Amino acid sequence: MVSEEVKRIRKEVKKHHKLMKESIPLIASENLLSPLAKEMLISDFSHRYAEGEPGKRYYQGCRYIDEVEVEATNLAKEMFNADFADVRPISGVLANLSAFFGLFESGDKLMSLSVPDGGHISHRKHSAAGLREFDINKIPFDKEKLNIKVEKTLEKIKKIEPDLILLGGSVFLFPHPIEKIKGTAEDVGAKIIYDGAHVLGLIAGGKFQDPLREGADLVTGSTHKTFPGPQGGLIYGSSKYEEKIKETIFPGLVSNHHLHHVAALGVTLGEMKYFAEDYATQIIDNAKALAENLYNKGLDVMGKQNGFTSSHQVLVDVSRFDSGRKVANKLEEANIIVNRNLIPSDKVGETESGIRLGVQELTRLGMEEEEMKMLSKWIADLVMEKTEQDKIKEKVIELKESFNDLHYCYEGKRANPYKYIDLVNK
Ligand SMILES: Cc1ncc(COP(=O)(O)O)c(C=O)c1O
């Protein structure tokens, strides 16, 4: 007998599956797992503990878990051409925290982007960086070019002599100028940490930038945004930081890391070895196509000077029409799922003027420039209130029906990515 509460939960989850199946997902931080990676999530690894490191566990029964973790770690090192990688952080924020607590002290000076300029909350005072009690300073940002102001940043580095310069962000349209900052950072003894949470899949495909080769000391990231793995975190970089980062992760930040996620990450890394380049290329082509088409249809797509985007993201200032929140709600009524976002002219805590769109999930489903064009018309019509939500919603559902296979992975045709897997049949 299944209780009413359990029935309710299952029902809501099933409803969610239907919603996603019938929607255009444009949240820039989400993705879909391949069938082989998904299989890992329901394996027995999800039940187990393996505190510590392979070969040095505090629990018995870990011999196969050890093999998998070593394999996943080696694949990460190979993919990102790094001497050291750790696959245990259970999220991108934990990967950031492992760097913050492993290599820095309370009161150390941090330079990072403000949230309206694209920085993640974990880079600023109300979250991880604040918890570490950093003295937090802003990286000067060009609000037109949507990238770091190099000269002003170099001046500021010389003036305040930071301990840590944190690059990368949540709105991340163009590669950051690591090489131009590196020399001055070194002169004042600052380390560069690059938060690649959003762009990890593009880095894997060699299509955005290569932060380590360009001068970052460490790279942190989420494993589930453009990198199409399980939800989790990753840190990689020079082996000179290995010991400190490892002991910060365990026992500092995780006791048991999520072993089924490690297995799924290993599988995704193995798949991405073969598919990442094509995947990243198509993501960027799609983002550019979406941006250009939205712009041509009359929306204020940001970053025009630099070709709108070089990543998976498109940022649109919708303030001429409504608030970001109202526009995102309007799009949701038509099953187009986006998030409202601060843009550089906004202030933290105020109404968001923008919406952020990410094309990595649609690309994974095999959509290309033609679909981006179609989609841009629907979005522009909805934002400019040229049409009813219901009419577009029907078209969205119809389009989505023809995109039910996964691409850029093995066994994608069997994926049926939005299908609810009913193990009980009740
Ligand atoms: C730049 C950046 N860093 C870190 C994170 C946090 O990642 P996670 O949700 O995996 O903790 C995000 C999340 O969106 C992000 O945008």
Side-chain angles (χ1 to χ4, degrees):
M1 242 329 248
V2 178
S3 75
E4 285 310 309
E5 296 91 331
V6 172
K7 274 189 198 155
R8 266 202 305 278
I9 291 171
R10 291 181 90 219
K11 202 164 131 201
E12 296 307 316
V13 175
K14 284 180 187 174
K15 283 199 290 204
H16 173 82
H17 275 249
K18 183 170 183 295
L19 172 66
M20 289 298 122
K21 183 173 183 294
E22 296 181 346
S23 297
I24 293 290
L26 286 165
I27 302 292
S29 53
E30 297 178 351
N31 216 314
L32 295 164
L33 280 177
S34 76
L36 289 170
K38 213 180 237 180
E39 191 180 285
M40 297 299 117
L41 296 190
I42 53 164
S43 72
D44 187 68
F45 274 37
S46 69
H47 306 136
R48 302 301 156 200
Y49 260 69
E51 287 181 358
E53 289 173 47
K56 290 189 253 169
R57 304 290 193 194
Y58 291 79
Y59 292 76
Q60 299 312 117
C62 295
R63 75 185 87 139
Y64 304 114
I65 293 168
D66 282 6
E67 294 293 330
V68 169
E69 191 166 315
V70 168
E71 187 82 55
T73 307
N74 286 340
L75 280 162
K77 289 201 292 195
E78 184 189 342
M79 170 151 286
F80 299 108
N81 193 5
D83 303 336
F84 146 69
D86 201 308
V87 295
R88 293 174 299 168
I90 57 173
S91 73
V93 168
L94 270 242
N96 282 343
L97 280 170
S98 69
F100 295 172
F101 279 87
L103 305 183
F104 303 96
E105 305 287 331
S106 294
D108 276 358
K109 277 190 197 148
L110 162 72
M111 276 177 73
S112 59
L113 289 173
S114 72
V115 172
D117 291 343
H120 185 246
I121 44 169
S122 65
H123 305 177
R124 307 299 296 171
K125 78 168 180 256
H126 295 300
S127 179
L131 275 180
R132 186 65 191 107
E133 300 179 320
F134 281 138
D135 168 1
I136 302 172
N137 302 270
K138 268 191 207 167
I139 296 178
F141 194 73
D142 187 322
K143 296 182 193 309
E144 291 298 313
K145 292 188 181 146
L146 300 182
N147 209 334
I148 290 167
K149 280 185 177 163
V150 175
E151 289 309 319
K152 289 254 179 282
T153 299
L154 298 184
E155 277 167 31
K156 193 158 180 179
I157 295 172
K158 285 180 201 153
K159 185 163 164 223
I160 72 169
E161 301 194 346
D163 301 281
L164 164 60
I165 301 166
L166 185 55
L167 302 178
S170 300
V171 176
F172 201 1
L173 298 169
F174 306 108
H176 282 166
I178 312 172
E179 277 169 329
K180 294 190 176 138
I181 291 172
K182 179 67 179 171
T184 310
E186 259 175 356
D187 291 345
V188 302
K191 293 190 179 66
I192 297 179
I193 310 276
Y194 180 99
D195 183 338
H198 264 271
V199 292
L200 200 69
L202 308 179
I203 294 171
K207 295 294 163 194
F208 190 66
Q209 67 185 136
D210 184 347
L212 271 196
R213 253 50 56 193
E214 291 169 36
D217 291 279
L218 285 170
V219 179
T220 60
S222 308
T223 50
H224 51 268
K225 295 182 166 113
T226 50
F227 193 84
Q231 293 203 338
L234 175 70
I235 183 163
Y236 68 85
S238 160
S239 52
K240 71 178 171 206
Y241 305 117
E242 178 165 2
E243 207 177 311
K244 287 200 163 152
I245 295 293
K246 278 187 162 172
E247 65 193 28
T248 306
I249 293 172
F250 178 86
L253 296 171
V254 292
S255 132
N256 188 43
H257 50 296
H258 296 170
L259 309 170
H260 50 323
H261 288 186
V262 170
L265 176 60
V267 166
T268 313
L269 284 161
E271 292 187 309
M272 280 296 116
K273 224 170 126 166
Y274 300 101
F275 298 105
E277 189 179 346
D278 289 346
Y279 181 42
T281 304
Q282 191 61 48
I283 288 175
I284 296 166
D285 288 349
N286 282 350
K288 283 183 189 293
L290 181 63
E292 275 160 25
N293 280 295
L294 287 171
Y295 179 79
N296 291 337
K297 293 196 167 57
L299 291 194
D300 299 325
V301 183
M302 303 189 72
K304 181 168 186 283
Q305 287 190 34
N306 290 324
F308 301 113
T309 183
S310 299
S311 74
H312 60 304
Q313 296 182 0
V314 177
L315 187 64
V316 187
D317 176 354
V318 293
S319 58
R320 215 158 34 93
F321 306 99
D322 219 326
S323 67
R325 177 197 291 269
K326 291 219 175 109
V327 167
N329 286 343
K330 203 183 292 175
L331 292 171
E332 188 179 13
E333 294 290 316
N335 281 17
I336 297 176
I337 313 290
V338 308
N339 68 279
R340 63 182 190 270
N341 220 99
L342 293 172
I343 61 172
S345 55
D346 291 335
K347 297 221 164 16
V348 176
E350 289 183 0
T351 308
E352 298 88 350
S353 302
I355 53 170
R356 184 186 66 170
L357 319 171
V359 298
Q360 67 296 333
E361 185 168 341
L362 295 180
T363 308
R364 187 102 156 121
L365 292 166
M367 291 196 192
E368 296 188 352
E369 287 86 335
E370 199 184 319
E371 286 75 35
M372 296 302 119
K373 194 167 175 190
M374 211 184 287
L375 186 55
S376 70
K377 178 162 173 27
W378 300 341
I379 294 175
D381 282 354
L382 285 165
V383 175
M384 297 195 246
E385 293 192 324
K386 287 190 184 160
T387 188
E388 301 295 307
Q389 279 103 328
D390 284 354
K391 289 201 184 117
I392 303 286
K393 186 172 171 177
E394 279 169 26
K395 293 183 190 172
V396 163
I397 295 173
E398 197 186 315
L399 173 71
K400 207 58 190 313
E401 263 168 18
S402 13
F403 288 90
N404 249 326
D405 299 332
L406 278 193
H407 290 60
Y408 313 105
C409 64
Y410 300 125
E411 305 286 333
K413 288 221 177 303
R414 290 204 300 122
N416 211 348
Y418 303 104
K419 185 173 186 288
Y420 181 88
I421 301 168
D422 192 334
L423 297 177
V424 183
N425 232 339
K426 279 213 170 82

